[in-house]
């Protein structure tokens, strides 16, 4: 199948249609974008913490240095957007963040001092 549209107006698998992508993102409310990014950070952090859902995949993908970065980024995003998203959205994200922080503490061979764990500069100390 050939593309008969004018050059640059339609994307192919090799070249995405950025005009269409821009229109699509323009229709998405900011809260949905923030929540989607937060969920993606949570998912990536869980995998890097060795919590991958596939049997035996935990240690395969475990990387605490990467997990620390992702959890800290998540905490910063939630801290910065706290007044922008409703508690309806924020409460479960904060619960997920705390669970990741506790999982990080549990997975670490040498525990961080309270307040020094990933994202704790934004959330305050997390105790396990």
């Amino acid at each position: 199948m050939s593309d008969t549209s004018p050059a640059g107006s339609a994307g192919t698998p090799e070249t995405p249609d950025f005009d269409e992508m821009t229109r699509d993102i323009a229709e998405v409310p900011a809260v949905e974008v923030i929540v989607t990014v937060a969920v993606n950070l949570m998912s990536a952090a869980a995998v890097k913490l060795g919590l991958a859902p596939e049997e035996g995949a935990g240690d395969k993908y475990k990387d605490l240095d990467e997990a620390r970065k992702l959890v800290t980024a998540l905490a910063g995003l939630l801290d910065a957007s706290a007044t922008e998203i409703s508690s309806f959205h924020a409460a479960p994200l904060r619960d997920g963040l705390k669970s990741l922080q506790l999982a990080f503490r549990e997975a670490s061979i040498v525990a961080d001092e309270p307040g020094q764990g990933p994202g704790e500069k934004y959330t305050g100390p997390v105790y396990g």
Side-chain angles (χ1 to χ4, degrees):
M1 197 169 18
S2 66
D3 182 12
T4 58
S5 59
S9 68
T12 65
E14 298 82 31
T15 58
D17 183 355
F18 291 110
D19 289 338
E20 185 178 326
M21 290 170 57
T22 300
R23 281 191 301 275
D24 289 346
I25 200 72
E27 296 172 3
V28 179
V31 170
E32 285 186 39
V33 173
I34 293 167
V35 170
T36 299
V37 170
V39 169
N40 285 326
L41 286 168
M42 290 175 84
S43 297
V47 169
K48 296 296 184 177
L49 283 167
L51 305 174
E54 301 136 26
E55 187 175 326
D59 288 336
K60 179 179 177 183
Y61 301 115
K62 191 173 187 177
D63 184 335
L64 294 183
D65 183 53
E66 291 289 301
R68 179 183 293 277
K69 293 171 187 170
L70 292 163
V71 172
T72 299
L74 174 61
L77 174 64
L78 294 181
D79 183 57
S81 62
T83 60
E84 306 301 325
I85 61 176
S86 67
S87 60
F88 174 78
H89 294 291
L93 293 173
R94 280 193 298 265
D95 290 345
L97 171 59
K98 184 174 182 180
S99 294
L100 290 170
Q101 289 171 313
L102 290 170
F104 184 92
R105 190 168 290 284
E106 201 173 286
S108 297
I109 295 170
V110 178
D112 293 316
E113 292 292 321
Q116 300 301 309
E120 291 182 16
K121 71 180 182 180
Y122 301 108
T123 63
V126 174
Y127 300 97

